[in-house]
Short mmCIF file of all heavy atoms in Angstrom, two decimals:
data_model
loop_
_atom_site.label_atom_id
_atom_site.label_comp_id
_atom_site.label_asym_id
_atom_site.label_seq_id
_atom_site.Cartn_x
_atom_site.Cartn_y
_atom_site.Cartn_z
N GLU A 41 -12.15 -4.69 9.63
CA GLU A 41 -11.93 -6.10 9.94
C GLU A 41 -12.26 -6.97 8.74
O GLU A 41 -11.56 -7.97 8.42
CB GLU A 41 -12.79 -6.52 11.12
CG GLU A 41 -12.59 -7.94 11.62
CD GLU A 41 -13.36 -8.26 12.80
OE1 GLU A 41 -13.30 -7.53 13.80
OE2 GLU A 41 -14.10 -9.30 12.76
N THR A 45 -8.11 -4.27 3.58
CA THR A 45 -6.85 -4.51 2.95
C THR A 45 -6.62 -3.39 1.90
O THR A 45 -7.45 -3.08 1.06
CB THR A 45 -6.79 -5.81 2.25
OG1 THR A 45 -7.13 -6.84 3.20
CG2 THR A 45 -5.42 -6.15 1.70
N GLU A 58 10.26 4.12 1.53
CA GLU A 58 11.53 3.73 0.85
C GLU A 58 11.36 3.79 -0.62
O GLU A 58 10.26 3.49 -1.17
CB GLU A 58 11.94 2.31 1.34
CG GLU A 58 12.15 2.21 2.83
CD GLU A 58 12.41 0.79 3.30
OE1 GLU A 58 12.38 -0.15 2.42
OE2 GLU A 58 12.60 0.61 4.50
N PRO A 59 12.43 4.04 -1.39
CA PRO A 59 12.32 4.22 -2.85
C PRO A 59 11.67 3.09 -3.56
O PRO A 59 10.78 3.31 -4.41
CB PRO A 59 13.74 4.42 -3.26
CG PRO A 59 14.45 5.02 -2.07
CD PRO A 59 13.79 4.39 -0.86
N ALA A 81 -5.58 -5.40 -12.52
CA ALA A 81 -4.46 -4.47 -12.27
C ALA A 81 -3.55 -5.00 -11.19
O ALA A 81 -2.37 -5.00 -11.32
CB ALA A 81 -4.98 -3.06 -11.90
N THR A 103 13.43 -5.52 -21.49
CA THR A 103 13.07 -5.12 -22.80
C THR A 103 11.59 -4.83 -22.93
O THR A 103 10.80 -5.24 -22.13
CB THR A 103 13.45 -6.20 -23.84
OG1 THR A 103 12.53 -7.36 -23.65
CG2 THR A 103 14.83 -6.73 -23.67
N TRP A 104 11.23 -4.09 -23.94
CA TRP A 104 9.85 -3.72 -24.17
C TRP A 104 9.01 -5.02 -24.34
O TRP A 104 7.94 -5.11 -23.76
CB TRP A 104 9.69 -2.88 -25.47
CG TRP A 104 8.32 -2.48 -25.82
CD1 TRP A 104 7.63 -1.41 -25.32
CD2 TRP A 104 7.49 -3.12 -26.78
NE1 TRP A 104 6.35 -1.37 -25.87
CE2 TRP A 104 6.27 -2.40 -26.78
CE3 TRP A 104 7.64 -4.24 -27.62
CZ2 TRP A 104 5.22 -2.74 -27.62
CZ3 TRP A 104 6.54 -4.59 -28.45
CH2 TRP A 104 5.38 -3.82 -28.39
N TYR A 116 -3.52 -7.87 -18.62
CA TYR A 116 -3.56 -6.46 -18.97
C TYR A 116 -3.43 -6.27 -20.50
O TYR A 116 -2.77 -5.39 -20.97
CB TYR A 116 -2.44 -5.72 -18.24
CG TYR A 116 -2.73 -4.33 -17.84
CD1 TYR A 116 -3.54 -4.08 -16.73
CD2 TYR A 116 -2.20 -3.24 -18.51
CE1 TYR A 116 -3.77 -2.81 -16.29
CE2 TYR A 116 -2.48 -1.94 -18.07
CZ TYR A 116 -3.26 -1.72 -16.97
OH TYR A 116 -3.50 -0.46 -16.55
N LEU A 127 5.94 2.53 -18.87
CA LEU A 127 6.77 2.11 -17.72
C LEU A 127 8.24 2.54 -17.90
O LEU A 127 8.84 3.08 -16.94
CB LEU A 127 6.67 0.61 -17.52
CG LEU A 127 5.36 0.09 -16.90
CD1 LEU A 127 5.30 -1.45 -17.01
CD2 LEU A 127 5.22 0.52 -15.42
N VAL A 131 10.39 5.32 -15.66
CA VAL A 131 11.61 5.08 -15.00
C VAL A 131 12.65 6.16 -15.35
O VAL A 131 13.39 6.67 -14.51
CB VAL A 131 12.19 3.69 -15.41
CG1 VAL A 131 13.67 3.55 -14.98
CG2 VAL A 131 11.35 2.58 -14.81
N VAL A 132 12.68 6.53 -16.65
CA VAL A 132 13.63 7.55 -17.08
C VAL A 132 13.36 8.89 -16.37
O VAL A 132 14.28 9.55 -15.89
CB VAL A 132 13.58 7.68 -18.62
CG1 VAL A 132 14.39 8.88 -19.07
CG2 VAL A 132 14.03 6.44 -19.30
N ASN A 139 16.11 11.43 -9.13
CA ASN A 139 17.17 10.53 -8.72
C ASN A 139 16.63 9.14 -8.29
O ASN A 139 17.16 8.53 -7.40
CB ASN A 139 18.00 11.10 -7.58
CG ASN A 139 18.72 12.36 -7.97
OD1 ASN A 139 19.41 12.41 -9.00
ND2 ASN A 139 18.55 13.46 -7.20
N ASP A 141 13.94 8.45 -6.74
CA ASP A 141 13.33 8.40 -5.40
C ASP A 141 12.17 9.36 -5.29
O ASP A 141 12.31 10.58 -5.35
CB ASP A 141 14.46 8.91 -4.39
CG ASP A 141 14.08 8.63 -2.95
OD1 ASP A 141 12.89 8.45 -2.69
OD2 ASP A 141 14.99 8.68 -2.07
N LEU A 142 11.00 8.80 -5.14
CA LEU A 142 9.78 9.59 -5.08
C LEU A 142 9.72 10.47 -3.80
O LEU A 142 8.92 11.42 -3.74
CB LEU A 142 8.50 8.70 -5.13
CG LEU A 142 8.22 8.24 -6.56
CD1 LEU A 142 7.26 7.01 -6.49
CD2 LEU A 142 7.66 9.31 -7.42
N ARG A 146 8.15 14.32 -3.37
CA ARG A 146 7.37 14.79 -2.19
C ARG A 146 8.03 16.07 -1.63
O ARG A 146 7.35 17.06 -1.30
CB ARG A 146 7.33 13.70 -1.15
CG ARG A 146 6.67 14.13 0.18
CD ARG A 146 6.98 13.14 1.30
NE ARG A 146 8.41 13.10 1.53
CZ ARG A 146 9.04 12.13 2.14
NH1 ARG A 146 8.39 11.03 2.58
NH2 ARG A 146 10.37 12.18 2.37
N PHE A 163 4.20 11.87 -14.85
CA PHE A 163 4.45 10.51 -15.28
C PHE A 163 3.36 10.05 -16.31
O PHE A 163 2.20 10.33 -16.16
CB PHE A 163 4.39 9.56 -14.05
CG PHE A 163 5.57 9.69 -13.12
CD1 PHE A 163 5.40 10.40 -11.89
CD2 PHE A 163 6.82 9.19 -13.41
CE1 PHE A 163 6.49 10.51 -11.06
CE2 PHE A 163 7.89 9.40 -12.60
CZ PHE A 163 7.71 10.04 -11.36
N ALA A 171 -3.11 9.95 -9.50
CA ALA A 171 -2.58 10.69 -8.37
C ALA A 171 -3.41 10.46 -7.12
O ALA A 171 -2.88 10.32 -6.04
CB ALA A 171 -2.56 12.24 -8.73
N ILE A 173 -5.16 7.78 -6.45
CA ILE A 173 -4.87 6.40 -5.97
C ILE A 173 -3.58 6.45 -5.16
O ILE A 173 -3.47 5.85 -4.09
CB ILE A 173 -4.76 5.44 -7.13
CG1 ILE A 173 -6.12 5.26 -7.81
CG2 ILE A 173 -4.24 4.07 -6.68
CD1 ILE A 173 -6.07 4.62 -9.19
N ALA A 197 -18.00 6.81 1.92
CA ALA A 197 -18.35 7.17 3.30
C ALA A 197 -19.86 7.58 3.43
O ALA A 197 -20.48 7.13 4.39
CB ALA A 197 -17.47 8.37 3.71
N PHE A 210 -11.62 10.20 9.26
CA PHE A 210 -10.41 9.42 9.63
C PHE A 210 -10.13 9.44 11.14
O PHE A 210 -9.36 8.68 11.67
CB PHE A 210 -9.17 9.86 8.86
CG PHE A 210 -9.29 9.47 7.39
CD1 PHE A 210 -9.39 10.45 6.43
CD2 PHE A 210 -9.29 8.15 7.02
CE1 PHE A 210 -9.46 10.13 5.05
CE2 PHE A 210 -9.37 7.81 5.67
CZ PHE A 210 -9.49 8.76 4.72
#
Side-chain angles (χ1 to χ4, degrees):
E41 183 177 308
T45 304
E58 298 174 0
T103 67
W104 180 83
Y116 215 76
L127 284 169
V131 169
V132 172
N139 297 309
D141 189 345
L142 284 164
R146 176 197 61 200
F163 290 104
I173 293 167
F210 291 113

